[in-house]
Amino acid sequence: MAARALVFLLAFAGWAVFFYAVDWLVMTAQGLPVGWNLMPLS
Amino acid sequence: MKWRLLLCGLAAVGLAVVLPHFGLAAEDPGAPAPSPTAADYPRIAGMTGRPVVWALAQMHLFLAAFVLAVPMFVVAIELTGVLTRDERYDRMAHEFMKISMAAYAFTALTGGALALALFLFYPVLMGYLLRVFDGQVLIYALLFILESLLLYVYFYTWNALRYGDRKWIHLSIGVLLNAVGTTLMFVANAWATFMMAPSGVDEAGTPLGSVWAAMQGPLWNPLNLHRFLANIAYGGAIVGAYAAYRFLAARTAEERAHYDWMGYTANFIAILGFLPLPFAGYWLMAEIYAYSQQMGITAMGGVLAWLFIIQAVLIGSILLAANYYLWCGLMRTEGGRRFVPWVKYIAAVLVAGFLVWVTPHTLILTPQEVLAIGGTNHPLLGPLGIMPAKNTAVNMMLLATFLSFQLFRRASRTPTVPWAWIGNCVIAALYLAATLNIVGAGIYGYVTPTVYKVGASVPQVLSTLAVIVFALVIEAFMYRGAVTRPVAWGRMSTRSQYALFVLPVAFTWLMALMGYIRSSVRTYWHVYTIMKDRSPDAYIPTIGEAGNFITVITLVFMAVIVFIFWLSQVGDTRQQAPAAEGGR
């Protein structure tokens, strides 16, 4: 059970980083500059 | 039927060659777009052109979508049969083609009638389009002839080219048929998108000399992709209804099993085409907004916006029906029962998404209701009426549908690889991360300026696509050498088959509705900003009038489809020879 929880958490962290990177890149590629927290840069 | 088709083909070429010369011969190829007067729109038998052309164009489009789509997945199924050496695939592919063949003659007839109606009711517009697209209409007619020839060769050589190298020749004919069919559709799409977003002409509509430039409008490729995917989903839905019809009429267990499997395959094709469809639709709408913000607002924020609520109802119905069918299918295997408790959670996501999607931004209210609420926006439900909420709902519904599909696939297989539990953890984490990203991007839309709100819908789409792609890839490795449980084909409830009937009805209605919106965004222009429509029909009908018209067309098409199903079934029926009587 503990092994499953650990694998799940590691996988979740990996996917979270992946989606964060996708979000940042996609917004920037659309000409919408965003900061590290994905909020619009004024 | 072959002779009828030949005649239709000749008629199409004849129309293409002869009709352009009616009153058009004097047109200067370098002249600007003509400016027709009310006298240029003849009434025939008291009727104006719009209802006739609208009904014929829609009927032709339904049928054309179907007959172009079927050979696409038929070739894929035929190839699967060759690769797996399973004769069942080959038989099923042949049966799918049989339905398509019955529909082909109707497609040609409605196409010929549409061309005739267009030239009779809108001669000036057609003259201009012929001038812009030069001799392309002739190429279209020749492509149609080629499509007909290839279709007949593909269908009638099925048994003659069945095994070995000959089978590959047959498959090649199928690929060629699809290439011609897709080209045919792309050419026709270029005419439709030229009218919405003209290119290759100057501001006065004078052709700049290149047909290719006229074809390459900003909406051409988005429409090509959208129709390509929609055709596959639509074709799958219609043959699924045929399978359900035969399943319900089956008299033996073998027949039930065969048509159950056919219905499952058809539903799979419909979902496969449908899942990426909203994204293609999104691209098309984004390009419409980019081309003309006014046009985009007319569609989604103006007079046609309420029709998008009806669209939500129809798409929600399609997703509920497709999921319901998959859930019923879980009972075909012993392994499927363990997933049944999950169904209620998936259903909750679908229903919640459906409710968010159908929530309008501005309500139609009585003055008393406006006073009671304090405005036309409901304080609690109003925020659900804008795009971030809708995009979130749609993506969650698509994720839920994909999960249903995944559970269904897993019902009959048990993985044997030792790392299967890790794969499951990674997929579960993928779902959770994608869900949080989709919901988070939705909330983001409420706290950022409009351009960011619109921009944030792209990561939502990519999240859904990421789940589909990565989950399928991981499962492909995970289920290598998996133990397969027997599937009890035919063990399906009768009511599950009605879900297969819901799909084509909802799809047909949806296509009629969205086709109407796509065409109406031009408002009072034949060719947007270039050539005005000065006919008595140059207005956008009321929602009720359009809704009734769309519904009548849908009902007529469903009647045609029932007739086609009957034709296909009766083709398989053989009358028993009469018994010898009294020594005669």
Side-chain angles (χ1 to χ4, degrees), chain A residues 8 12 15 23 26 30 33 38 40, chain B residues 426 429-430 437 444 452 455 459 462:
Chain A
F8 179 82
F12 179 75
W15 287 123
D23 291 354
V26 167
Q30 292 180 96
L38 297 173
Chain B
V426 172
L430 172 62
N437 201 44
Y444 179 82
Y452 283 85
L462 290 176

Side-chain angles (χ1 to χ4, degrees), chain A residues 1-41:
Chain A
M1 198 65 193
R4 276 172 199 268
L6 186 66
V7 170
F8 179 82
L9 283 174
L10 281 173
F12 179 75
W15 287 123
V17 171
F18 170 76
F19 283 120
Y20 172 80
V22 168
D23 291 354
W24 196 90
L25 286 170
V26 167
M27 295 304 280
T28 309
Q30 292 180 96
L32 303 167
V34 289
W36 65 269
N37 56 0
L38 297 173
M39 282 295 144
L41 288 175

Side-chain angles (χ1 to χ4, degrees), chain B residues 259-393:
Chain B
Y259 288 110
D260 183 21
W261 183 58
M262 196 169 168
Y264 153 73
T265 310
N267 187 51
F268 171 75
I269 294 163
I271 293 178
L272 198 71
F274 187 73
L275 281 178
L277 197 53
F279 310 135
Y282 182 87
W283 183 30
L284 177 59
M285 275 316 296
E287 289 295 332
I288 287 176
Y289 265 99
Y291 169 71
S292 162
Q293 206 166 25
Q294 180 59 51
M295 190 184 262
I297 290 167
T298 302
M300 298 197 73
V303 66
L304 301 167
W306 268 92
L307 298 176
F308 277 86
I309 298 293
I310 304 174
Q311 177 212 27
V313 175
L314 288 170
I315 295 181
S317 308
I318 288 170
L319 287 174
L320 284 172
N323 275 278
Y324 179 74
Y325 181 79
L326 286 173
W327 300 335
C328 290
L330 288 175
M331 305 310 285
R332 287 197 195 99
T333 57
E334 294 306 315
R337 292 179 194 277
R338 68 198 151 110
F339 295 128
V340 171
W342 291 49
V343 165
K344 54 182 173 288
Y345 302 114
I346 300 175
V349 172
L350 285 172
V351 172
F354 182 80
L355 291 174
V356 170
W357 203 0
V358 299
T359 303
H361 180 241
T362 310
L363 301 168
I364 296 174
L365 300 168
T366 62
Q368 289 82 2
E369 287 168 333
V370 174
L371 277 175
I373 292 175
T376 51
N377 288 318
H378 192 277
L380 289 176
L381 298 179
L384 298 180
I386 60 172
M387 284 314 286
K390 312 263 185 235
N391 284 338
T392 307

